């Protein structure tokens, strides 16, 4: 419908107000010149037009202006819900202002002009995309891409409407391109027709951030691209190919091909990567992606000094396929074997050069490895190894395995095995250091030697069968060498069969033959099933009469120094109830078992199934004699019960706590884990060190104790530099070896205690032990020391270690006066007060300082002289009254007679004295002596207790 009002002059001048409603554009479009319509490339134009404005000018050249609105419009195959704005038309120009185009959630604003020239319409339009679909904008430029997203920005359209030039700057949010999502993109572009020049673009996606520029010609891409912070975890197909992928990658390269089939090629750089089972420091090299496949051409992966170079391709699909060649340099063996899902034996490591091929699919891979391992170490030797192996599924084919040692020994193997079961390997050794093999499973195993021989291993990994012969030369078991060991070994069904096993050492031959089940501990280290418990032992061990030193091989150290004898044993029965039959006889046996040294040992042991009968055994032990007899009851090869009788006479025992001679008459009976040690022990010429520990530490064995302890003469008790006391007594030892108790009483006969730098002589003392207090006694000790004008007394009493020390004096002095006379600072103070005019002579001061020097220097000298001269006492002391040093010797001439000799070190006029102390009975001592001044004395000292 059209409504017009106004004036039309006879000359054709127009001044009309026009109101058009529901005008069909399809009816108006044919009114335009045909050449315009064809060159506009508009295709079908339709819509319902509404116009409100004016028509002015002349009929020949009218001017139209006003507001228009178009509903359900279509142009260039695009539909719009609504378009409205202001226009002005006067041939040949159509001006547009404040035009808004709306379609769904999209909104565009447009301004500019169209020039309808003879060659066709020409556009000069600028627009703002308030919100829109990026695909719609591309279609306006005649481009159809797989690009989606919400766009906003500015766009300019100019040039012939049939092929306009398009340029602008657009941002796209929450989009998708070529099947990949992105969070945000910014594009600055120019384009005409199907060609678009990308001045710059940035894109942010879960894969990383990309930057670039380039051209798009229709579907063809030519874009320079840089991508940062690419997350490998965002490629699930890559993770499926490798098992695991993590880390970030930078990419610089070119995007070519088409949007539907893009090609991406360039250089990658990365640090701290995880690819499958590998942790890598860095990666760099060319990569290419096209057609769903990733191509590697010299990609280098590094970790420390290790270097891997990858060439090949991976098809990124649900069951990824790959064909990759890996060249490695200085790769660690443990890392390299991860390719084949294998591990080297515990503790084995090497640096390897070589090549690995990975082919097949992730569900059924095939791995082939060819390597040379150098600088490998195991045990004591350098190793070089060559390996060629192939793994497909659960089957591993070992084409070649050769280990060459630095000394020339070699070990080779070939064959197949399966992780599911079957084994078929052939192994050969020639002068190979056996410790390099054995210590793979047990680094502490002490066997060494040059191994030659052959073996074949069949069966399965958990139940292998082995048969082979060996010859081990120049061997050593721990500290014990042997010349040769040879024989045949068979392993089947968890049992080991030894045939003709002979060991030669020191001109003697040890023979072992028979069958034993594989010990569970060894089976666990070898990762095989142990022999059934019902598999019987049937083993014979024989040693013809001769040297017994070969038996040192049993415990790997030189315990037996000398000895001759014979050994014939047969072990038969189930492993946990095995019976031992035979005999062991020895003579002239010398062995070292600290703290004991055994010489001239002889004896005979009979093995009667589950009992070992010691018919006789005697020896010189620590310069004394010892003998024993009895029965040991066995279960398997472990001792369960003991019934032994032991005797010792003048046996010298020495450790950090006790040094003396022992006479003993003891029995040891009961279960082996806690038997009862019962009888008597007498000590002679014994010194007890209060700072030491009996046995030098905790006993590895334990036993209940019921032992009577006496001493044949006074026991000397020393405690560092402070205690040196003689005592006698009778004690009962109870408890256990690990937690002993003492009961009884010990009396001090004489001795000294150093307290506050002063030597106190013991006048009487006692120690009372009760089992309730373990080994800590109740002490009561009295001692005296002379300090200038007084006799100082020291009393020690109480339960060890909570002791009470009290000082007294004759004549009576206060505690401060007593301490002043004992302490060095007190003497200096008195000396300063007593000096003339407050001055102290150098000699007086030196005499005081000399006492302190004696405490640090003379003590070591005293101990050295006492030990060399075999004295009971040797002291260097400075008297209080005279500035001189005196020397004192003391020694027991017989058990009850003690002699003391003293002499001053004054070369001009030495003072000497000789003193005798004879103990008539406990508590009564007769004393006598004389000195160089002509004084002679006799005395009788008695000690009463009430």
């Amino acid at each position: 419908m059209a409504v017009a009002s106004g004036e039309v002059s006879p000359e054709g001048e127009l001044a009309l107000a026009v109101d058009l409603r529901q005008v069909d554009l399809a009816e108006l479009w044919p009114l335009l010149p045909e050449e315009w319509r064809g060159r506009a490339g508009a295709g079908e134009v339709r819509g319902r037009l509404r116009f409100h404005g004016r028509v002015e000018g002349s009929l020949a050249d009218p001017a139209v202006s006003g507001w228009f609105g178009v509903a359900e419009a279509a142009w260039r195959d695009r539909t719009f819900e609504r378009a409205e704005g202001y226009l002005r038309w006067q041939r040949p120009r159509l001006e547009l202002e404040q035009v808004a185009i709306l379609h769904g959630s999209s909104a565009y604003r447009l301004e500019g002009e169209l020039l309808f020239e003879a060659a066709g319409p020409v556009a000069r339009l600028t627009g703002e995309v308030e919100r829109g679909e990026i695909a719609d904008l591309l279609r306006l430029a005649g481009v159809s891409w797989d690009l989606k997203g919400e766009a906003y920005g500015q766009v300019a359209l100019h040039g012939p409407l049939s092929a306009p030039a398009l340029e602008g700057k657009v941002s796209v949010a929450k989009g998708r391109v070529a099947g990949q999502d992105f969070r945000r993109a910014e594009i600055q572009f120019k384009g005409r027709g199907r060609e678009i020049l990308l001045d710059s673009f940035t894109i942010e996606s879960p894969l990383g951030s990309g930057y670039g520029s380039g051209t798009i010609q229709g579907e063809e891409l030519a874009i320079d691209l840089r991508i940062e912070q690419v997350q490998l975890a965002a490629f699930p197909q890559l993770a499926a190919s490798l098992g695991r992928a993590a880390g970030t990658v930078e990419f610089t390269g070119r995007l070519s091909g088409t949007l539907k089939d893009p090609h991406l090629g360039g250089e990658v750089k990365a640090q701290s990567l995880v690819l499958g089972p590998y942790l890598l420091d860095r990666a760099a090299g060319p990569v290419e992606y096209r057609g769903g496949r990733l191509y590697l051409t010299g990609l280098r992966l590094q970790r420390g000094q290790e270097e891997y170079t990858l060439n090949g391709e991976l098809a990124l699909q649900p069951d990824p396929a790959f064909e990759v060649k890996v060249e490695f340099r200085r790769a660690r063996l443990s890392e390299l074997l991860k390719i084949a899902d294998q591990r080297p034996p515990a503790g084995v490591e090497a640096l390897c050069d070589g090549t690995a091929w990975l082919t097949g699919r992730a569900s059924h891979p095939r791995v082939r490895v060819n390597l040379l391992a150098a600088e490998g170490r195991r045990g004591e030797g350098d190793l070089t190894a060559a390996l060629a192996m192939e793994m497909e599924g659960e089957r591993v084919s070992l084409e070649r395995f050769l280990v060459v040692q630095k000394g020339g020994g070699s070990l080779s193997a070939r064959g197949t095995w399966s992780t599911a079961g079957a084994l078929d390997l052939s192994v050969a050794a020639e002068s190979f250091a056996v410790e390099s093999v054995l210590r793979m499973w047990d680094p502490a195993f002490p066997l060494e030697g040059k191994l030659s021989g052959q073996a074949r291993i069949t069966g399965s990994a958990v139940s292998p069968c082995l048969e082979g012969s060996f010859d081990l030369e120049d061997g050593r078991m721990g500290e014990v060498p042997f010349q040769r060991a040879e024989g045949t070994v068979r392993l089947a069904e968890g049992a080991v069969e030894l045939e003709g096993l002979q060991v030669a050492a020191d001109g003697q031959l040890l023979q072992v033959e028979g069958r034993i089940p594989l010990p569970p501990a060894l089976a666990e280290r070898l990762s095989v099933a142990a022999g059934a418990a019902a598999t019987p032992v049937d083993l014979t061990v024989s040693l013809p009469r001769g040297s017994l030193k070969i038996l040192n091989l049993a415990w790997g150290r030189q315990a037996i120094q000398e000895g001759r004898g014979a050994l014939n044993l047969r072990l038969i029965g189930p492993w946990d109830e095995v019976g031992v039959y035979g005999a062991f006889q020895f003579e002239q046996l010398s062995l070292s078992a600290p703290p004991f040294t055994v010489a001239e040992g002889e004896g005979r042991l009979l093995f009667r199934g589950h009992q070992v009968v010691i018919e006789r055994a005697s020896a010189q032990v620590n310069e004394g004699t010892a003998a024993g007899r009895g029965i040991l009851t066995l279960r398997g090869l472990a001792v369960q019960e003991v019934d032994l009788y032991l005797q010792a006479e003048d046996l010298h025992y020495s450790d950090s706590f006790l040094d003396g001679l022992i006479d003993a008459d003891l029995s040891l009976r009961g279960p082996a884990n806690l038997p009862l040690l019962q009888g008597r022990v007498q000590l002679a010429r014994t010194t007890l060190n209060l700072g030491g520990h009996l046995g030098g530490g905790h006993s590895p064995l334990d036993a209940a104790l019921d032992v009577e302890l006496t001493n044949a003469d006074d026991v000397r008790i020393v405690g560092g530099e402070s205690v040196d006391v003689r005592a006698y007594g009778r004690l009962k030892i109870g408890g256990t070896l690990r937690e002993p108790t003492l009961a009884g009483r010990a009396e001090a006969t004489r001795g000294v205690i150093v307290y506050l730098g002063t030597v106190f002589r013991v006048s009487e003392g006692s120690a009372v032990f009760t089992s309730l207090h373990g080994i800590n006694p109740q002490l009561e000790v009295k001692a005296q020391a002379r300090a200038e004008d007084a006799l100082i007394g020291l009393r020690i009493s109480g339960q060890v270690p909570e002791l009470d020390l009290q000082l007294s004096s004759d004549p009576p002095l206060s505690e401060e006066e007593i301490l002043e006379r004992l302490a060095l600072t007190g003497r200096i103070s008195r000396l300063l007060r007593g000096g003339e005019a407050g001055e102290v002579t150098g000699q007086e001061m030196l005499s005081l300082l000399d006492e302190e020097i004696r405490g640090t220097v003379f003590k070591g000298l005293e101990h050295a002289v006492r030990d060399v001269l075999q004295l009971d006492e040797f002291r260097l002391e400075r008297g209080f009254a005279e500035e001189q040093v005196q020397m004192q010797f003391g020694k027991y001439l017989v058990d009850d007679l003690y002699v003391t000799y003293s002499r001053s070190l004054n070369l001009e006029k030495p003072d000497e004295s000789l003193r005798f102390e004879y103990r008539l009975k406990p508590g009564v001592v007769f004393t006598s002596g004389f000195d160089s001044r002509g004084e002679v004395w006799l005395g009788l000292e008695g000690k009463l207790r009430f």
Side-chain angles (χ1 to χ4, degrees):
M1 182 180 68
V3 177
S5 63
E7 297 179 356
V8 178
S9 70
E11 291 82 13
E13 296 294 325
L14 302 175
L16 300 175
V18 179
D19 189 4
L20 303 179
R21 298 180 181 180
Q22 301 296 321
V23 176
D24 190 348
L25 288 178
E27 296 178 359
L28 293 179
W29 184 253
L31 299 178
L32 295 175
E34 182 177 352
E35 63 272 16
W36 289 8
R37 288 183 278 122
R39 291 170 183 166
E44 182 182 5
V45 176
R46 66 178 183 273
R48 296 189 307 276
L49 172 66
R50 183 179 180 185
F51 175 79
H52 178 76
R54 292 183 62 81
V55 178
E56 298 175 331
S58 65
L59 287 173
D61 187 18
V64 181
S65 63
W67 175 91
F68 74 94
V70 180
E72 299 177 0
W75 178 48
R76 304 195 72 169
D77 300 323
R78 295 297 296 160
T79 61
F80 303 93
E81 294 177 1
R82 186 164 58 90
E84 60 182 28
Y86 295 92
L87 62 82
R88 178 177 177 80
W89 159 258
Q90 188 170 15
R91 186 181 300 173
R93 184 187 308 274
L94 175 63
E95 298 178 4
L96 302 173
E97 294 181 4
Q98 301 179 21
V99 177
I101 303 174
L102 304 175
H103 181 71
S105 61
S106 299
Y108 309 92
R109 293 196 176 274
L110 185 66
E111 291 189 357
E113 63 181 12
L114 290 173
L115 296 178
F116 290 87
E117 298 177 351
V122 175
R124 296 190 181 91
L125 301 174
T126 61
E128 180 178 356
V129 182
E130 294 182 348
R131 61 182 182 276
E133 175 60 46
I134 186 65
D136 292 340
L137 296 178
L138 293 174
R139 288 192 184 97
L140 290 175
V143 177
S144 178
W145 291 346
D146 184 12
L147 177 61
K148 299 178 181 179
E150 184 179 291
Y152 52 92
Q154 293 80 37
V155 178
L157 186 70
H158 55 86
L161 203 57
S162 59
L166 189 69
E167 68 177 291
K169 184 175 183 180
V170 178
S171 297
V172 184
K174 298 179 181 179
R176 186 176 180 86
V177 58
Q180 296 292 332
D181 294 330
F182 61 87
R183 291 188 293 267
R184 184 173 177 273
E186 290 188 0
I187 308 171
Q188 187 167 344
F189 62 91
K190 299 175 182 177
R192 181 181 295 274
R194 296 174 57 83
E195 181 179 1
I196 292 182
L197 172 64
L198 300 178
D199 291 331
S200 66
F201 71 87
T202 62
I203 186 169
E204 298 177 5
S205 75
L207 302 181
S209 300
Y211 312 88
S213 62
T215 61
I216 302 176
Q217 182 71 38
E219 295 290 319
E220 298 296 324
L221 304 174
I223 300 174
D224 294 323
L225 183 64
R226 175 180 175 83
I227 304 177
E228 298 177 351
Q229 300 297 317
V230 178
Q231 301 294 326
L232 293 184
F235 293 89
Q237 292 175 325
L238 182 62
S241 302
L242 301 174
R244 186 184 176 198
T248 58
V249 178
E250 291 186 1
F251 172 83
T252 304
R254 190 172 182 83
L255 180 64
S256 59
T258 67
L259 284 170
K260 294 181 179 179
D261 184 20
H263 295 179
L264 187 64
E267 296 281 330
V268 297
K269 294 182 180 180
Q271 294 182 340
S272 302
L273 288 179
V274 178
L275 297 176
Y278 298 95
L279 302 176
L280 301 167
D281 295 336
R282 52 194 173 276
V287 297
E288 185 176 354
Y289 174 83
R290 67 177 184 273
R293 304 179 76 88
L294 182 64
Y295 296 88
L296 309 174
T297 53
L299 179 64
R300 295 176 60 188
L301 312 177
Q302 291 181 291
R303 186 178 72 175
Q305 295 183 349
E306 302 174 46
E307 181 177 311
Y308 303 83
T309 303
L310 278 63
N311 290 276
E313 59 184 84
L314 292 85
L316 304 180
Q317 54 195 34
D319 186 10
F322 43 81
E323 187 174 344
V324 179
K325 177 183 178 181
V326 182
E327 298 176 272
F328 46 87
R329 297 289 181 271
R330 299 184 64 80
R332 289 193 300 168
L333 180 64
S334 58
E335 293 296 313
L336 187 62
L337 289 184
K338 291 179 180 178
I339 297 177
D341 196 24
Q342 301 291 310
R343 292 184 303 171
V348 176
E349 192 56 275
L351 296 180
C352 306
D353 295 345
T355 306
W357 292 265
L358 287 76
T359 58
R361 294 184 177 275
S363 59
H364 189 77
R366 182 180 179 183
V367 180
R368 180 177 176 82
V369 178
N370 195 337
L371 65 84
L372 177 67
E375 301 182 25
R377 288 192 63 82
R378 193 61 185 98
E380 301 298 327
D382 294 325
L383 306 177
T384 300
L387 171 69
M389 63 175 286
E390 183 175 307
M391 185 188 79
E392 185 171 5
E394 296 180 339
R395 185 177 183 273
V396 179
S397 177
L398 186 63
E399 298 178 4
R400 181 183 62 155
F401 176 66
L402 176 65
V403 177
V404 179
Q405 295 175 318
K406 187 176 182 180
S410 65
L411 178 70
S412 62
R414 64 178 60 247
T416 61
W417 76 85
S418 169
T419 55
L423 276 172
D424 190 359
L425 294 173
S426 296
V427 182
E430 183 175 348
S431 298
F432 190 80
V434 69
E435 60 270 18
S436 298
V437 177
L438 296 178
R439 294 181 185 174
M440 291 180 183
W441 293 280
D442 187 355
F445 196 74
L447 180 63
E448 302 176 14
K450 301 293 186 180
L451 176 68
S452 298
Q454 296 181 338
R456 185 179 180 190
I457 306 172
T458 57
S460 67
V462 296
S463 182
C465 297
L466 179 147
E467 182 171 355
S469 58
F470 70 92
D471 186 345
L472 189 62
E473 295 182 318
D474 300 328
R476 178 178 291 273
M477 178 64 78
E479 303 173 358
V480 184
F482 60 91
Q483 283 74 49
R484 189 168 195 167
E486 59 182 344
T488 299
V489 179
R490 297 183 182 89
L491 171 65
E493 299 179 355
V496 179
E497 185 176 335
L498 305 173
E499 181 179 325
L501 175 59
Q502 297 184 353
V503 183
D506 293 314
Q508 184 66 299
L509 198 65
L510 179 66
Q511 298 174 323
V512 181
E513 191 153 352
R515 178 184 176 90
I516 60 171
L518 194 65
L522 179 58
E524 183 179 355
R525 286 196 294 268
L526 297 176
S527 300
V528 302
T535 302
V537 178
D538 190 355
L539 192 68
T540 301
V541 181
S542 62
L543 181 67
R545 177 167 295 277
S547 173
L548 296 178
K549 293 176 68 175
I550 194 173
L551 296 180
N552 287 323
L553 294 170
W555 48 84
R557 59 185 182 86
Q558 297 283 10
I560 299 177
Q561 308 296 322
E562 298 291 341
R564 296 185 61 79
L567 174 68
N568 288 283
L569 297 178
R570 185 181 183 190
L571 288 71
I572 190 168
W575 184 256
D576 56 351
E577 291 288 347
V578 64
V580 185
Y581 301 86
F584 175 45
Q585 186 169 345
F586 59 92
E587 61 268 351
Q588 301 173 6
L589 180 65
S590 297
L591 59 86
S592 175
F596 301 104
T597 300
V598 178
E600 298 299 325
E602 61 176 20
R604 177 180 172 85
L605 281 67
L606 298 179
F607 294 83
R608 297 175 177 173
H610 297 289
Q611 284 190 334
V612 181
V613 179
I614 304 173
E615 286 190 335
R616 67 181 192 282
S618 62
Q620 295 180 5
V621 180
N622 291 13
E623 302 176 358
T625 61
R629 64 180 185 274
I631 297 174
L632 302 176
T633 302
L634 308 177
R635 181 174 183 181
L637 297 179
V639 178
Q640 294 293 306
E641 297 279 339
V642 296
D643 187 358
L644 302 176
Y645 177 65
L646 309 170
Q647 288 182 305
E649 185 175 349
D650 290 336
L651 188 153
H652 180 237
Y653 181 86
S654 179
D655 63 21
S656 62
F657 175 71
L658 185 148
D659 188 330
L661 299 180
I662 295 176
D663 289 349
D665 193 349
L666 301 169
S667 65
L668 185 65
R669 296 186 179 92
N673 62 336
L674 192 66
L676 175 62
L677 183 65
Q678 193 171 30
R680 65 171 188 85
V681 173
Q682 181 172 298
L683 303 177
R685 298 204 294 273
T686 300
T687 298
L688 300 181
N689 184 356
L690 299 180
H693 193 291
L694 183 62
H698 295 292
S699 172
L701 303 175
D702 205 359
L705 302 175
D706 183 11
V707 177
E708 182 181 349
L709 179 66
T710 60
N711 51 301
D713 52 20
D714 287 352
V715 173
R716 181 181 178 199
I717 302 173
V718 298
E721 305 296 335
S722 302
V723 178
D724 192 346
V725 178
R726 298 284 179 164
Y728 68 93
R730 182 183 298 270
L731 300 175
K732 193 78 168 181
I733 306 177
T736 65
L737 280 174
R738 294 177 182 171
E739 295 185 7
T741 64
L742 296 175
R745 182 184 184 87
E747 297 282 350
T749 59
R750 61 195 177 283
V752 296
I753 296 175
V754 179
Y755 180 58
L756 296 179
T758 302
V759 178
F760 289 83
R761 293 186 176 276
V762 175
S763 58
E764 60 178 294
S766 67
V768 178
F769 296 86
T770 61
S771 58
L772 293 178
H773 295 97
I775 61 173
N776 294 330
Q778 176 79 28
L779 293 183
E780 189 70 37
V781 179
K782 293 182 179 180
Q784 294 179 332
R786 180 165 294 281
E788 298 182 357
D789 57 347
L791 185 64
I792 308 299
L794 172 65
R795 183 175 182 268
I796 303 174
S797 60
Q799 184 77 44
V800 175
E802 298 177 358
L803 297 175
D804 179 31
L805 280 73
Q806 296 181 355
L807 292 170
S808 60
S809 66
D810 184 15
L813 299 172
S814 67
E815 183 176 352
E816 291 77 6
E817 291 174 322
I818 295 175
L819 293 175
E820 186 180 6
R821 281 163 172 74
L822 296 180
L824 175 64
T825 54
R827 295 184 209 167
I828 293 176
S829 177
R830 290 197 309 275
L831 191 60
L832 291 173
R833 290 197 305 268
E836 294 183 6
E839 295 182 359
V840 180
T841 65
Q843 182 62 33
E844 291 171 329
M845 181 60 72
L846 287 176
S847 69
L848 291 174
L849 295 177
D850 186 55
E851 290 190 26
E852 293 305 304
I853 296 174
R854 193 192 72 82
T856 57
V857 178
F858 286 178
K859 287 295 182 183
L861 178 61
E862 290 172 353
H863 283 290
V865 173
R866 185 172 62 200
D867 293 340
V868 170
L869 300 181
Q870 296 295 301
L871 300 174
D872 293 299
E873 182 182 7
F874 175 72
R875 293 186 178 279
L876 294 170
E877 294 184 336
R878 179 170 295 282
F880 287 106
E882 300 181 39
E883 297 304 324
Q884 61 181 9
V885 177
Q886 67 179 24
M887 180 172 55
Q888 180 172 302
F889 299 86
K891 185 172 179 61
Y892 275 96
L893 299 182
V894 294
D895 286 346
D896 296 319
L897 179 60
Y898 189 77
V899 178
T900 303
Y901 171 73
S902 298
R903 173 188 171 93
S904 65
L905 298 184
N906 187 335
L907 299 180
E908 297 181 357
K909 188 178 180 182
D911 291 331
E912 298 176 278
S913 67
L914 188 65
R915 175 185 173 89
F916 297 89
E917 298 180 9
Y918 183 74
R919 187 175 64 185
L920 300 176
K921 60 180 182 178
V924 180
V925 179
F926 172 76
T927 64
S928 67
F930 57 89
D931 59 24
S932 58
R933 300 176 182 176
E935 296 183 3
V936 179
W937 65 88
L938 296 173
L940 186 64
E941 296 180 0
K943 298 178 181 178
L944 300 178
R945 180 171 296 276
F946 53 90

